[in-house]
Amino acid sequence: EPEVTQTPSHQVTQMGQEVILRCVPISNHLYFYWYRQILGQKVEFLVSFYNNEISEKSEIFDDQFSVERPDGSNFTLKIRSTKLEDSAMYFCASNWDRENYGYTFGSGTRLTVV
Amino acid sequence: RKEVEQDPGPFNVPEGATVAFNCTYSNSASQSFFWYRQDCRKEPKLLMSVYSSGNEDGRFTAQLNRASQYISLLIRDSKLSDSATYLCVVNNAGGFKTIFGAGTRLFVKA
């Protein structure tokens, strides 16, 4: 079964540093997403990406965050100048039909900011 | 009012029991509806889509009431492996943004 791959599985970084979280979506999917989940809290939408541009973003996704699809397979989330409150699990997801089908999620990157 | 609201539980049920979860959503323009399950510290996994006519997948039945903005999930003959958090998920119109409920925790005991 096709899967969404995320690397690294766990990243520890110092406050103020930049991190890049990487995702390889399923190859025939067209829509890509990043979500985050702070420990014990609900899954929160960050951003959706289609046709090489951001489709929609949440209020969480401020200037600190950026996304990129640098080639035909990778989809990255960059967090600049990390803060303690950025510590969370970050999930990448993809699908090929945004309205009628649910997402396939990657197994996540646990980001710990110290 | 929260965009997607669920009873947090936990629901503690014996094996073989039938259990029902409810969810309400606030945006009447919402287009697509789903149930996911999430095991502890794992990614959400799609359980089933929810259609207006209601749909069933084995022991799982989902219902949607657009007039009341209400979604339900029924699990029959609960198994130990059904223990998880069940997430109600709603896509806004256009489908680029998906809102997750906070989840309902289910414990199935032997």
Side-chain angles (χ1 to χ4, degrees):
Chain A
E1 185 176 326
E3 58 181 33
V4 175
T5 304
Q6 288 187 244
T7 55
S9 57
H10 190 190
Q11 173 123 23
V12 181
T13 190
Q14 292 208 322
M15 195 167 50
Q17 296 297 304
E18 175 182 287
V19 294
I20 297 176
L21 310 184
R22 292 184 164 80
C23 171
V24 179
I26 294 173
S27 61
N28 64 341
H29 284 187
L30 302 174
Y31 304 91
F32 314 112
Y33 310 85
W34 283 101
Y35 285 80
R36 80 171 186 190
Q37 188 173 31
I38 295 170
L39 187 63
Q41 298 187 24
K42 69 174 189 174
V43 177
E44 298 176 291
F45 170 78
L46 291 177
V47 65
S48 57
F49 192 87
Y50 170 69
N51 202 25
N52 286 318
E53 60 182 23
I54 290 174
S55 310
E56 191 155 354
K57 59 184 181 179
S58 71
E59 56 277 6
I60 301 169
F61 194 89
D62 59 21
D63 292 342
Q64 185 194 5
F65 294 88
S66 62
V67 289
E68 198 175 42
R69 189 157 160 82
D71 52 43
S73 58
N74 292 285
F75 180 50
T76 62
L77 174 69
K78 182 187 291 185
I79 310 175
R80 288 179 281 276
S81 189
T82 48
K83 304 188 284 278
L84 294 177
E85 54 264 38
D86 294 327
S87 295
M89 182 73 95
Y90 288 81
F91 292 111
C92 174
S94 68
N95 66 356
W96 64 275
D97 180 331
R98 69 178 187 276
E99 292 188 0
N100 298 309
Y101 293 88
Y103 303 159
T104 301
F105 279 83
S107 56
T109 293
R110 179 164 298 283
L111 178 65
T112 302
V113 182
V114 297
Chain B
R1 183 180 174 185
K2 290 181 184 176
E3 291 181 280
V4 178
E5 199 149 6
Q6 297 183 249
D7 181 342
F11 285 59
N12 292 286
V13 303
E15 267 186 301
T18 295
V19 61
F21 304 137
N22 302 320
C23 169
T24 56
Y25 60 95
S26 61
N27 186 348
S28 60
S30 298
Q31 295 288 320
S32 311
F33 310 90
F34 307 91
W35 284 101
Y36 283 72
R37 69 170 279 167
Q38 187 175 29
D39 295 290
C40 190
R41 293 180 179 260
K42 299 285 190 181
E43 74 274 21
K45 290 190 175 175
L46 180 66
L47 184 64
M48 59 196 303
S49 303
V50 186
Y51 303 119
S52 297
S53 54
N55 50 299
E56 187 174 307
D57 183 1
R59 298 181 293 109
F60 300 85
T61 301
Q63 299 272 353
L64 168 64
N65 184 324
R66 286 189 184 270
S68 303
Q69 295 176 210
Y70 169 93
I71 305 160
S72 65
L73 176 69
L74 183 77
I75 305 176
R76 289 181 298 278
D77 189 22
S78 299
K79 312 289 184 193
L80 294 175
S81 57
D82 293 334
S83 297
T85 297
Y86 289 82
L87 308 174
C88 175
V89 179
V90 175
N91 272 11
N92 67 342
F96 282 118
K97 181 178 177 181
T98 293
I99 307 299
F100 281 72
T104 299
R105 191 76 176 91
L106 172 66
F107 293 97
V108 181
K109 54 188 187 296

